[in-house]
Amino acid sequence: MHARDDARPVGQPFIIPIFLPHMGCPHQCIFCNQRAITGQSAQTPSADQIQQAVRRFLNYGKKRPSTTQISFFGGNFLGLEKETIRSLLGAAMPFVQAKEVDSIRFSTRPDTINPESLSLLEGFPVSTVELGVQSMNDHVLDTAGRGHRASDTIVAAGLLKNRGYQMGLQMMVGLPGDDDDGAMETARRIVELAPDFVRIYPTLVLEGSQLARQFREDRYHPMALAACVTLVKRLLLYFNTHHIPVVRMGLQASDGLTRAGGFVAGPYHPAFGHLVHSEIVLGAISSELDRMEKRPDPLTIFVHPSMVSRVQGLRKQNIDRLKHSFALKKIVLLQDAHLAKGHLVVAGEKIILP
């Protein structure tokens, strides 16, 4: 059995995470400290622990999307011992058989994908595989200590596609030796591989990582938050143009990052994705105002209720920037539930967000 024949289209499934911090990794990349990210130490979870974790999420009362997946994150899944792989999948499988969960997914390194490793998945309801690509530039990969090449990603993507798996590719921005042009080139090469979805992560300096030492020795300078948001906005718009969903931008807020000592430096924000979307909205409104010969003041903007925060920006920064840039005294936001979420009406002119 390869990928599940009834695998559903990629949307935003309800993810039940099982963290395997740094497990299966042949070495530690310079940016990595999975314990700081997950707040957990490296220890293979038992079948009982997995089943308890899944049951806890399933019993959570909040209404879930139609698709639910058990996900093994944080390590190099196919780099684990064969028996460990089978044991972990075997612990998750009964929930799929009972139709409580739709399928299983995991993340792994590109250089662990080969016919032999994929044969281990036969008989298990795995539908989605994520690859930690990080960059498609071999120099950047070498500098980051990844230990694989861009060519490994190309081969892995082909194998996953041929076997019918849904494929997600994860990229990073701000790695040592990389720049904005390099990130855009990685995005272009990722598009050529036709993934089902993408994640974009800023490079952060985490305590216990090699990058932390380089930062303290003034040999690595992380991206500023504003510059990182602008770059990730460009990447998001590029992937949108090619109809590839970006399902996450930035690391999730976690105890490991927010507690004292986990996070050292870099473009971290608990609402990083919101910052990116807000900058897209600001750019769209600014472009429309630039086209107007005469701008009304007060300026009225109609917006779907769910989009108000993106239009306002964090701490209403978008409103302040619009007032300053266009010499406006007042901006009025009016909610209109009949508007599509991606539409705005600015001074009577409809804007469709990219």
Side-chain angles (χ1 to χ4, degrees):
M1 180 178 181
H2 298 322
R4 295 186 66 205
D5 294 333
D6 63 340
R8 304 183 185 188
V10 172
Q12 286 283 33
F14 179 74
I15 299 297
I16 301 175
I18 306 296
F19 290 109
L20 309 172
H22 202 58
M23 293 179 60
C25 296
H27 56 271
Q28 185 165 327
C29 303
I30 65 169
F31 54 79
C32 188
N33 183 348
Q34 283 293 335
R35 186 172 183 179
I37 295 173
T38 66
Q40 300 178 19
S41 58
Q43 183 177 2
T44 304
S46 67
D48 284 344
Q49 289 173 324
I50 291 173
Q51 290 164 6
Q52 289 174 14
V54 173
R55 184 62 58 198
R56 184 168 61 252
F57 274 87
L58 290 176
N59 290 338
Y60 186 55
K62 186 176 180 181
K63 183 179 179 181
R64 298 191 296 271
S66 58
T67 301
T68 302
Q69 294 179 310
I70 297 173
S71 179
F72 294 100
F73 272 140
N76 178 33
F77 191 78
L78 291 182
L80 297 167
E81 295 292 331
K82 293 180 182 179
E83 289 308 311
T84 301
I85 292 172
R86 293 191 183 101
S87 175
L88 292 171
L89 294 175
M93 188 171 179
F95 293 97
V96 182
Q97 294 172 325
K99 300 187 183 304
E100 295 179 285
V101 168
D102 291 280
S103 63
I104 302 169
R105 65 194 288 163
F106 61 80
S107 58
T108 195
R109 289 167 54 97
D111 54 347
T112 63
I113 299 291
N114 54 59
E116 180 183 4
S117 65
L118 292 179
S119 70
L120 294 171
L121 308 180
E122 293 179 0
F124 295 104
V126 174
S127 67
T128 307
V129 178
E130 296 195 41
L131 300 179
V133 173
Q134 319 315 4
S135 174
M136 292 297 287
N137 181 301
D138 285 341
H139 171 69
V140 174
L141 292 172
D142 288 342
T143 303
R146 286 294 292 169
H148 67 79
R149 319 299 285 172
S151 58
D152 293 317
T153 296
I154 295 170
V155 171
L159 288 170
L160 292 173
K161 284 288 184 179
N162 288 339
R163 295 195 178 212
Y165 290 101
Q166 292 180 344
M167 180 180 70
L169 301 182
Q170 304 168 359
M171 69 172 290
M172 295 182 69
V173 298
L175 287 168
D178 206 2
D179 56 20
D180 288 11
D181 290 341
M184 293 305 300
E185 178 61 22
T186 286
R188 282 188 282 272
R189 297 187 67 183
I190 283 176
V191 166
E192 291 175 355
L193 301 177
D196 296 288
F197 61 94
V198 169
R199 297 178 192 267
I200 306 173
Y201 294 118
T203 300
L204 304 180
V205 180
L206 303 177
E207 194 61 76
S209 69
Q210 295 179 49
L211 209 55
R213 183 174 67 251
Q214 293 185 14
F215 171 73
R216 292 186 172 112
E217 293 173 352
D218 201 32
R219 293 189 291 122
Y220 172 72
H221 302 98
M223 294 187 74
L225 179 61
C228 190
V229 167
T230 298
L231 173 58
V232 174
K233 178 193 73 173
R234 288 179 61 196
L235 292 166
L236 173 61
L237 294 175
Y238 182 76
F239 286 123
N240 284 352
T241 299
H242 290 86
H243 309 291
I244 297 174
V246 176
V247 298
R248 170 152 290 279
M249 296 172 286
L251 286 171
Q252 286 184 300
S254 68
D255 290 338
L257 278 178
T258 54
R259 70 169 181 263
F263 169 70
V264 176
Y268 172 71
H269 193 283
F272 186 90
H274 175 74
L275 296 180
V276 174
H277 284 295
S278 293
E279 186 161 312
I280 290 174
V281 173
L282 176 64
I285 295 173
S286 297
S287 295
E288 183 61 37
L289 293 178
D290 278 332
R291 286 191 287 269
M292 293 181 181
E293 293 184 7
K294 185 176 181 180
R295 304 179 191 100
D297 192 0
L299 176 71
T300 301
I301 302 174
F302 287 89
V303 57
H304 188 277
S306 67
M307 293 287 292
V308 170
S309 63
R310 290 186 182 181
V311 175
Q312 290 178 329
L314 194 67
R315 294 189 293 275
K316 298 187 177 181
Q317 289 177 355
N318 281 0
I319 302 299
D320 293 338
R321 289 169 70 178
L322 288 170
K323 286 180 178 179
H324 176 76
S325 298
F326 297 98
L328 297 170
K329 294 181 179 179
K330 188 175 183 180
I331 296 176
V332 179
L333 291 187
L334 297 177
Q335 299 183 32
D336 184 349
H338 297 292
L339 273 177
K341 292 184 180 180
H343 293 185
L344 304 174
V345 177
V346 179
E349 298 294 329
K350 180 173 283 189
I351 297 175
I352 300 177
L353 297 173

